[in-house]
């Protein structure tokens, strides 16, 4: 997309540019993760691992957090378990339930993701300047709705 010259940019460019910025960060992160021993991780897995949380969760809870059915959450959990990112365990509170917990590999990919996001933000700061990045973040916080930070983003795209 060419930069507008004097005239206001068409309205459709803003969401496309925001998405392109998001996509470039996510793609760069996943290239890093692949180089660090996590080539099979997909963006949706990060949301699912966040939905599992530190204390673990049932498939139903994961589904609610992601905005998908228990069955869809179960399929994602199956995939993450096969890849070694989560483990299933008996729920100490209710022996009839299974808890999904992060495995050491799951914790590792989340730690590496957090570190990667910090590196990528630092790259934006180098390219744009600290003040511009801080202003961009502040402006986006102002414009984003209060419930914008939700884990069901992937179901929103597919919904």
């Amino acid at each position: 997309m060419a930069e507008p010259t004097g005239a206001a940019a068409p309205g459709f460019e803003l969401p496309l540019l925001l998405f392109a910025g998001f996509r470039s960060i996510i793609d760069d992160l996943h290239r890093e993760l692949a180089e660090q021993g996590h080539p099979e991780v997909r963006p949706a897995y990060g949301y699912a691992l966040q939905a599992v949380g530190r204390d673990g969760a049932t498939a139903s809870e994961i589904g609610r957090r992601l905005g998908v059915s228990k069955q869809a959450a179960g399929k994602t959990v199956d995939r993450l378990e096969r890849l070694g990112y989560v483990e299933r365990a008996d729920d100490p509170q209710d022996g009839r339930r299974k808890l999904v917990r992060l495995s050491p590999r799951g914790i590792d990919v989340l730690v590496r993701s957090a570190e990667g996001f910090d590196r990528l933000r630092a790259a934006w700061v180098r390219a744009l300047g600290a003040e511009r990045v801080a202003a961009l973040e502040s402006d986006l916080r102002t414009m984003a709705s209060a419930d914008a930070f939700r884990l069901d983003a992937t179901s929103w795209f597919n919904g």
Side-chain angles (χ1 to χ4, degrees):
M1 280 180 251
E3 265 191 59
T5 55
F12 69 85
E13 272 192 22
L14 179 59
L16 292 176
L17 289 168
L18 289 169
F19 182 71
F22 169 81
R23 177 74 192 257
S24 69
I25 290 171
I26 297 301
D27 287 348
D28 288 348
L29 176 71
H30 283 268
R31 269 190 292 281
E32 281 187 17
L33 291 173
E35 292 167 2
Q36 296 172 6
H38 297 281
E40 64 284 317
V41 173
R42 301 292 171 260
Y45 297 170
Y47 289 101
L49 292 171
Q50 292 293 328
V52 170
R54 291 181 178 170
D55 298 325
T58 65
S60 294
E61 292 167 334
I62 294 167
R64 274 194 303 280
R65 293 171 186 171
L66 295 174
V68 300
S69 69
K70 176 183 174 182
Q71 293 76 16
K75 286 181 183 181
T76 300
V77 168
D78 288 344
R79 215 169 303 126
L80 291 171
E81 186 177 35
R82 278 194 305 275
L83 294 169
Y85 292 104
V86 298
E87 304 164 335
R88 285 188 168 99
D90 291 331
D91 184 340
Q93 309 292 332
D94 183 348
R96 297 168 295 172
R97 296 182 349 155
K98 290 284 187 190
L99 275 182
V100 178
R101 293 195 173 126
L102 296 172
S103 69
R105 184 167 172 77
I107 293 168
D108 180 67
V109 77
L110 287 178
V111 168
R112 289 176 186 272
S113 293
E115 293 167 351
F117 281 129
D118 287 344
R119 277 190 301 279
L120 292 165
R121 184 186 184 283
W124 279 49
V125 166
R126 285 190 303 278
L128 301 174
E131 288 179 17
R132 286 184 68 192
V133 171
L136 174 63
E137 290 168 335
S138 177
D139 291 345
L140 289 171
R141 278 187 206 97
T142 298
M143 297 308 296
S145 65
D147 66 344
F149 298 108
R150 296 173 27 186
L151 295 176
D152 67 351
T154 55
S155 67
W156 181 80
F157 275 113
N158 296 328

Short mmCIF file of all heavy atoms in Angstrom, two decimals, residues 89-135:
data_model
loop_
_atom_site.label_atom_id
_atom_site.label_comp_id
_atom_site.label_asym_id
_atom_site.label_seq_id
_atom_site.Cartn_x
_atom_site.Cartn_y
_atom_site.Cartn_z
N ALA A 89 -3.92 -34.90 33.39
CA ALA A 89 -3.77 -35.47 34.73
C ALA A 89 -5.13 -35.51 35.41
O ALA A 89 -6.03 -34.75 35.05
CB ALA A 89 -2.79 -34.63 35.56
N ASP A 90 -5.28 -36.39 36.39
CA ASP A 90 -6.51 -36.42 37.16
C ASP A 90 -6.63 -35.13 37.94
O ASP A 90 -5.65 -34.60 38.48
CB ASP A 90 -6.50 -37.61 38.14
CG ASP A 90 -6.60 -38.94 37.41
OD1 ASP A 90 -7.20 -38.98 36.32
OD2 ASP A 90 -6.07 -39.94 37.93
N ASP A 91 -7.86 -34.62 38.03
CA ASP A 91 -8.13 -33.41 38.80
C ASP A 91 -8.16 -33.80 40.28
O ASP A 91 -8.96 -34.65 40.68
CB ASP A 91 -9.48 -32.83 38.36
CG ASP A 91 -9.82 -31.52 39.04
OD1 ASP A 91 -9.25 -31.22 40.11
OD2 ASP A 91 -10.68 -30.80 38.50
N PRO A 92 -7.28 -33.22 41.09
CA PRO A 92 -7.26 -33.59 42.51
C PRO A 92 -8.57 -33.23 43.24
O PRO A 92 -8.88 -33.83 44.26
CB PRO A 92 -6.08 -32.80 43.08
CG PRO A 92 -5.73 -31.78 42.08
CD PRO A 92 -6.28 -32.22 40.76
N GLN A 93 -9.33 -32.28 42.68
CA GLN A 93 -10.61 -31.87 43.28
C GLN A 93 -11.77 -32.78 42.90
O GLN A 93 -12.75 -32.86 43.61
CB GLN A 93 -10.96 -30.43 42.85
CG GLN A 93 -9.87 -29.42 43.05
CD GLN A 93 -9.58 -29.15 44.52
OE1 GLN A 93 -10.45 -29.29 45.35
NE2 GLN A 93 -8.35 -28.81 44.82
N ASP A 94 -11.64 -33.44 41.74
CA ASP A 94 -12.74 -34.27 41.22
C ASP A 94 -12.15 -35.36 40.34
O ASP A 94 -11.72 -35.10 39.21
CB ASP A 94 -13.70 -33.38 40.41
CG ASP A 94 -14.91 -34.13 39.89
OD1 ASP A 94 -14.93 -35.38 39.92
OD2 ASP A 94 -15.85 -33.46 39.42
N GLY A 95 -12.09 -36.57 40.86
CA GLY A 95 -11.47 -37.69 40.15
C GLY A 95 -12.11 -38.04 38.83
O GLY A 95 -11.53 -38.76 38.02
N ARG A 96 -13.32 -37.54 38.57
CA ARG A 96 -13.99 -37.84 37.29
C ARG A 96 -13.50 -36.93 36.17
O ARG A 96 -13.75 -37.19 35.00
CB ARG A 96 -15.51 -37.65 37.44
CG ARG A 96 -16.13 -38.62 38.44
CD ARG A 96 -17.55 -38.20 38.76
NE ARG A 96 -17.48 -36.90 39.44
CZ ARG A 96 -18.55 -36.16 39.73
NH1 ARG A 96 -19.75 -36.58 39.42
NH2 ARG A 96 -18.42 -35.00 40.33
N ARG A 97 -12.82 -35.84 36.55
CA ARG A 97 -12.37 -34.85 35.54
C ARG A 97 -10.89 -35.01 35.26
O ARG A 97 -10.12 -35.40 36.12
CB ARG A 97 -12.63 -33.43 36.04
CG ARG A 97 -14.06 -33.10 36.22
CD ARG A 97 -14.34 -31.69 36.66
NE ARG A 97 -13.24 -30.88 37.09
CZ ARG A 97 -13.20 -29.56 37.05
NH1 ARG A 97 -14.23 -28.90 36.60
NH2 ARG A 97 -12.16 -28.89 37.47
N LYS A 98 -10.54 -34.65 34.05
CA LYS A 98 -9.13 -34.59 33.65
C LYS A 98 -8.73 -33.13 33.51
O LYS A 98 -9.46 -32.34 32.92
CB LYS A 98 -8.88 -35.29 32.32
CG LYS A 98 -9.00 -36.80 32.37
CD LYS A 98 -7.78 -37.38 33.01
CE LYS A 98 -7.82 -38.89 32.91
NZ LYS A 98 -6.79 -39.49 33.72
N LEU A 99 -7.59 -32.80 34.06
CA LEU A 99 -7.03 -31.46 33.90
C LEU A 99 -5.97 -31.50 32.81
O LEU A 99 -5.22 -32.47 32.71
CB LEU A 99 -6.36 -30.98 35.19
CG LEU A 99 -7.22 -30.34 36.25
CD1 LEU A 99 -6.35 -29.89 37.42
CD2 LEU A 99 -8.00 -29.16 35.71
N VAL A 100 -5.93 -30.48 32.04
CA VAL A 100 -4.86 -30.30 31.06
C VAL A 100 -3.88 -29.34 31.71
O VAL A 100 -4.27 -28.28 32.20
CB VAL A 100 -5.41 -29.71 29.74
CG1 VAL A 100 -4.29 -29.48 28.74
CG2 VAL A 100 -6.50 -30.60 29.17
N ARG A 101 -2.62 -29.73 31.72
CA ARG A 101 -1.58 -28.88 32.32
C ARG A 101 -0.46 -28.66 31.31
O ARG A 101 -0.20 -29.51 30.47
CB ARG A 101 -1.00 -29.56 33.56
CG ARG A 101 -1.98 -29.67 34.69
CD ARG A 101 -1.27 -30.01 35.98
NE ARG A 101 -2.20 -29.96 37.07
CZ ARG A 101 -2.38 -30.95 37.93
NH1 ARG A 101 -1.69 -32.05 37.84
NH2 ARG A 101 -3.26 -30.81 38.91
N LEU A 102 0.21 -27.53 31.47
CA LEU A 102 1.37 -27.26 30.63
C LEU A 102 2.48 -28.22 31.01
O LEU A 102 2.75 -28.45 32.18
CB LEU A 102 1.86 -25.83 30.84
CG LEU A 102 0.91 -24.71 30.44
CD1 LEU A 102 1.45 -23.37 30.88
CD2 LEU A 102 0.64 -24.73 28.94
N SER A 103 3.14 -28.79 30.01
CA SER A 103 4.31 -29.63 30.24
C SER A 103 5.54 -28.71 30.29
O SER A 103 5.45 -27.52 29.95
CB SER A 103 4.47 -30.62 29.08
OG SER A 103 4.83 -29.90 27.91
N PRO A 104 6.68 -29.24 30.67
CA PRO A 104 7.89 -28.41 30.61
C PRO A 104 8.12 -27.82 29.21
O PRO A 104 8.53 -26.67 29.08
CB PRO A 104 9.00 -29.37 31.02
CG PRO A 104 8.31 -30.34 31.94
CD PRO A 104 6.94 -30.53 31.33
N ARG A 105 7.80 -28.58 28.16
CA ARG A 105 7.95 -28.07 26.79
C ARG A 105 6.96 -26.92 26.53
O ARG A 105 7.29 -25.94 25.86
CB ARG A 105 7.75 -29.21 25.79
CG ARG A 105 7.98 -28.82 24.34
CD ARG A 105 8.09 -30.08 23.48
NE ARG A 105 8.11 -29.78 22.07
CZ ARG A 105 9.15 -29.31 21.40
NH1 ARG A 105 10.28 -29.08 22.03
NH2 ARG A 105 9.06 -29.07 20.11
N GLY A 106 5.75 -27.03 27.07
CA GLY A 106 4.76 -25.97 26.93
C GLY A 106 5.20 -24.71 27.64
O GLY A 106 5.05 -23.60 27.11
N ILE A 107 5.74 -24.86 28.83
CA ILE A 107 6.25 -23.70 29.57
C ILE A 107 7.41 -23.08 28.81
O ILE A 107 7.49 -21.86 28.67
CB ILE A 107 6.66 -24.11 31.00
CG1 ILE A 107 5.42 -24.52 31.80
CG2 ILE A 107 7.43 -22.99 31.69
CD1 ILE A 107 5.71 -25.22 33.11
N ASP A 108 8.28 -23.92 28.26
CA ASP A 108 9.43 -23.42 27.49
C ASP A 108 8.98 -22.57 26.31
O ASP A 108 9.52 -21.47 26.08
CB ASP A 108 10.29 -24.59 27.01
CG ASP A 108 11.50 -24.12 26.21
OD1 ASP A 108 12.39 -23.48 26.81
OD2 ASP A 108 11.54 -24.39 24.99
N VAL A 109 7.99 -23.03 25.56
CA VAL A 109 7.58 -22.26 24.38
C VAL A 109 6.91 -20.95 24.79
O VAL A 109 7.08 -19.93 24.11
CB VAL A 109 6.69 -23.09 23.42
CG1 VAL A 109 5.27 -23.23 23.91
CG2 VAL A 109 6.70 -22.49 22.02
N LEU A 110 6.20 -20.94 25.92
CA LEU A 110 5.60 -19.69 26.38
C LEU A 110 6.67 -18.71 26.85
O LEU A 110 6.57 -17.50 26.57
CB LEU A 110 4.58 -19.96 27.49
CG LEU A 110 3.27 -20.60 27.03
CD1 LEU A 110 2.37 -20.87 28.23
CD2 LEU A 110 2.56 -19.74 25.99
N VAL A 111 7.68 -19.19 27.54
CA VAL A 111 8.78 -18.32 27.98
C VAL A 111 9.51 -17.76 26.76
O VAL A 111 9.78 -16.56 26.67
CB VAL A 111 9.74 -19.07 28.92
CG1 VAL A 111 11.04 -18.30 29.14
CG2 VAL A 111 9.06 -19.37 30.25
N ARG A 112 9.81 -18.64 25.80
CA ARG A 112 10.50 -18.19 24.58
C ARG A 112 9.63 -17.20 23.80
O ARG A 112 10.15 -16.24 23.21
CB ARG A 112 10.88 -19.37 23.71
CG ARG A 112 12.00 -20.21 24.30
CD ARG A 112 12.26 -21.44 23.43
NE ARG A 112 13.22 -22.32 24.03
CZ ARG A 112 14.55 -22.24 23.87
NH1 ARG A 112 15.05 -21.28 23.11
NH2 ARG A 112 15.35 -23.09 24.46
N SER A 113 8.32 -17.40 23.79
CA SER A 113 7.42 -16.47 23.10
C SER A 113 7.47 -15.10 23.76
O SER A 113 7.56 -14.07 23.07
CB SER A 113 5.98 -16.99 23.13
OG SER A 113 5.86 -18.16 22.37
N ALA A 114 7.40 -15.06 25.09
CA ALA A 114 7.45 -13.78 25.81
C ALA A 114 8.76 -13.06 25.51
O ALA A 114 8.77 -11.84 25.24
CB ALA A 114 7.28 -14.01 27.31
N GLU A 115 9.86 -13.79 25.55
CA GLU A 115 11.16 -13.19 25.24
C GLU A 115 11.22 -12.71 23.79
O GLU A 115 11.76 -11.64 23.49
CB GLU A 115 12.28 -14.19 25.51
CG GLU A 115 12.45 -14.54 26.97
CD GLU A 115 13.34 -15.75 27.23
OE1 GLU A 115 13.72 -16.46 26.27
OE2 GLU A 115 13.64 -16.00 28.41
N GLY A 116 10.64 -13.49 22.89
CA GLY A 116 10.60 -13.12 21.48
C GLY A 116 9.79 -11.87 21.24
O GLY A 116 10.19 -10.98 20.47
N PHE A 117 8.63 -11.77 21.90
CA PHE A 117 7.82 -10.56 21.76
C PHE A 117 8.60 -9.34 22.25
O PHE A 117 8.52 -8.26 21.65
CB PHE A 117 6.49 -10.68 22.51
CG PHE A 117 5.45 -11.49 21.77
CD1 PHE A 117 4.80 -12.53 22.42
CD2 PHE A 117 5.12 -11.22 20.46
CE1 PHE A 117 3.83 -13.28 21.76
CE2 PHE A 117 4.15 -11.95 19.78
CZ PHE A 117 3.50 -13.00 20.44
N ASP A 118 9.35 -9.50 23.34
CA ASP A 118 10.17 -8.38 23.83
C ASP A 118 11.22 -7.98 22.80
O ASP A 118 11.44 -6.79 22.56
CB ASP A 118 10.85 -8.75 25.16
CG ASP A 118 9.89 -8.78 26.33
OD1 ASP A 118 8.76 -8.23 26.22
OD2 ASP A 118 10.26 -9.36 27.37
N ARG A 119 11.87 -8.97 22.17
CA ARG A 119 12.88 -8.67 21.14
C ARG A 119 12.24 -7.97 19.93
O ARG A 119 12.80 -7.03 19.37
CB ARG A 119 13.59 -9.94 20.67
CG ARG A 119 14.72 -10.39 21.55
CD ARG A 119 15.54 -11.51 20.92
NE ARG A 119 14.76 -12.70 20.62
CZ ARG A 119 14.44 -13.65 21.51
NH1 ARG A 119 14.83 -13.53 22.76
NH2 ARG A 119 13.74 -14.69 21.15
N LEU A 120 11.06 -8.44 19.53
CA LEU A 120 10.39 -7.85 18.37
C LEU A 120 9.93 -6.43 18.66
O LEU A 120 10.03 -5.55 17.81
CB LEU A 120 9.24 -8.75 17.92
CG LEU A 120 9.71 -10.08 17.34
CD1 LEU A 120 8.56 -11.07 17.26
CD2 LEU A 120 10.36 -9.87 15.98
N ARG A 121 9.44 -6.20 19.87
CA ARG A 121 9.07 -4.83 20.24
C ARG A 121 10.31 -3.93 20.21
O ARG A 121 10.26 -2.80 19.73
CB ARG A 121 8.42 -4.79 21.63
CG ARG A 121 7.93 -3.39 21.99
CD ARG A 121 7.42 -3.30 23.42
NE ARG A 121 6.89 -1.99 23.70
CZ ARG A 121 7.62 -0.91 23.95
NH1 ARG A 121 8.96 -0.99 23.97
NH2 ARG A 121 7.05 0.27 24.20
N ALA A 122 11.43 -4.45 20.71
CA ALA A 122 12.68 -3.68 20.69
C ALA A 122 13.09 -3.35 19.25
O ALA A 122 13.61 -2.26 18.98
CB ALA A 122 13.79 -4.44 21.41
N ALA A 123 12.84 -4.24 18.32
CA ALA A 123 13.14 -3.98 16.91
C ALA A 123 12.26 -2.84 16.38
O ALA A 123 12.73 -1.99 15.62
CB ALA A 123 12.96 -5.25 16.07
N TRP A 124 11.00 -2.83 16.78
CA TRP A 124 10.12 -1.73 16.38
C TRP A 124 10.62 -0.42 16.98
O TRP A 124 10.58 0.62 16.32
CB TRP A 124 8.68 -2.01 16.83
CG TRP A 124 7.92 -2.94 15.91
CD1 TRP A 124 8.36 -4.14 15.42
CD2 TRP A 124 6.62 -2.74 15.39
NE1 TRP A 124 7.39 -4.71 14.63
CE2 TRP A 124 6.30 -3.86 14.59
CE3 TRP A 124 5.67 -1.74 15.54
CZ2 TRP A 124 5.09 -4.00 13.93
CZ3 TRP A 124 4.46 -1.88 14.88
CH2 TRP A 124 4.17 -2.99 14.08
N VAL A 125 11.09 -0.46 18.23
CA VAL A 125 11.63 0.74 18.87
C VAL A 125 12.85 1.24 18.10
O VAL A 125 12.99 2.44 17.86
CB VAL A 125 11.95 0.48 20.36
CG1 VAL A 125 12.81 1.59 20.95
CG2 VAL A 125 10.66 0.31 21.15
N ARG A 126 13.72 0.31 17.69
CA ARG A 126 14.90 0.72 16.91
C ARG A 126 14.49 1.35 15.58
O ARG A 126 15.09 2.32 15.13
CB ARG A 126 15.84 -0.46 16.67
CG ARG A 126 16.64 -0.86 17.90
CD ARG A 126 17.74 -1.88 17.58
NE ARG A 126 17.25 -3.11 16.97
CZ ARG A 126 16.72 -4.13 17.65
NH1 ARG A 126 16.61 -4.08 18.96
NH2 ARG A 126 16.32 -5.21 17.01
N ALA A 127 13.46 0.81 14.95
CA ALA A 127 13.05 1.30 13.64
C ALA A 127 12.23 2.59 13.72
O ALA A 127 12.38 3.49 12.89
CB ALA A 127 12.23 0.23 12.91
N LEU A 128 11.37 2.70 14.73
CA LEU A 128 10.44 3.82 14.79
C LEU A 128 10.75 4.84 15.89
O LEU A 128 10.25 5.96 15.84
CB LEU A 128 9.01 3.30 15.02
CG LEU A 128 8.47 2.33 13.98
CD1 LEU A 128 7.12 1.78 14.42
CD2 LEU A 128 8.37 3.00 12.63
N GLY A 129 11.51 4.41 16.88
CA GLY A 129 11.80 5.26 18.02
C GLY A 129 10.89 4.90 19.20
O GLY A 129 9.73 4.53 19.01
N ALA A 130 11.44 5.02 20.40
CA ALA A 130 10.72 4.64 21.61
C ALA A 130 9.44 5.45 21.79
O ALA A 130 8.39 4.91 22.18
CB ALA A 130 11.62 4.77 22.83
N GLU A 131 9.51 6.76 21.52
CA GLU A 131 8.34 7.61 21.72
C GLU A 131 7.20 7.24 20.78
O GLU A 131 6.04 7.21 21.19
CB GLU A 131 8.71 9.08 21.53
CG GLU A 131 9.55 9.63 22.68
CD GLU A 131 9.93 11.08 22.47
OE1 GLU A 131 9.30 11.78 21.63
OE2 GLU A 131 10.86 11.53 23.16
N ARG A 132 7.52 6.93 19.53
CA ARG A 132 6.47 6.58 18.57
C ARG A 132 5.83 5.25 18.91
O ARG A 132 4.62 5.10 18.80
CB ARG A 132 7.03 6.56 17.15
CG ARG A 132 7.27 7.96 16.62
CD ARG A 132 7.74 7.98 15.20
NE ARG A 132 6.66 7.53 14.31
CZ ARG A 132 6.86 7.22 13.03
NH1 ARG A 132 8.06 7.32 12.50
NH2 ARG A 132 5.85 6.83 12.28
N VAL A 133 6.64 4.27 19.34
CA VAL A 133 6.08 2.97 19.72
C VAL A 133 5.21 3.12 20.97
O VAL A 133 4.10 2.59 21.03
CB VAL A 133 7.19 1.91 19.92
CG1 VAL A 133 6.62 0.63 20.52
CG2 VAL A 133 7.87 1.62 18.58
N ALA A 134 5.69 3.87 21.96
CA ALA A 134 4.90 4.10 23.17
C ALA A 134 3.60 4.82 22.83
O ALA A 134 2.53 4.49 23.36
CB ALA A 134 5.71 4.88 24.19
N ALA A 135 3.66 5.79 21.94
CA ALA A 135 2.45 6.52 21.53
C ALA A 135 1.49 5.59 20.79
O ALA A 135 0.27 5.64 21.02
CB ALA A 135 2.82 7.71 20.66
#
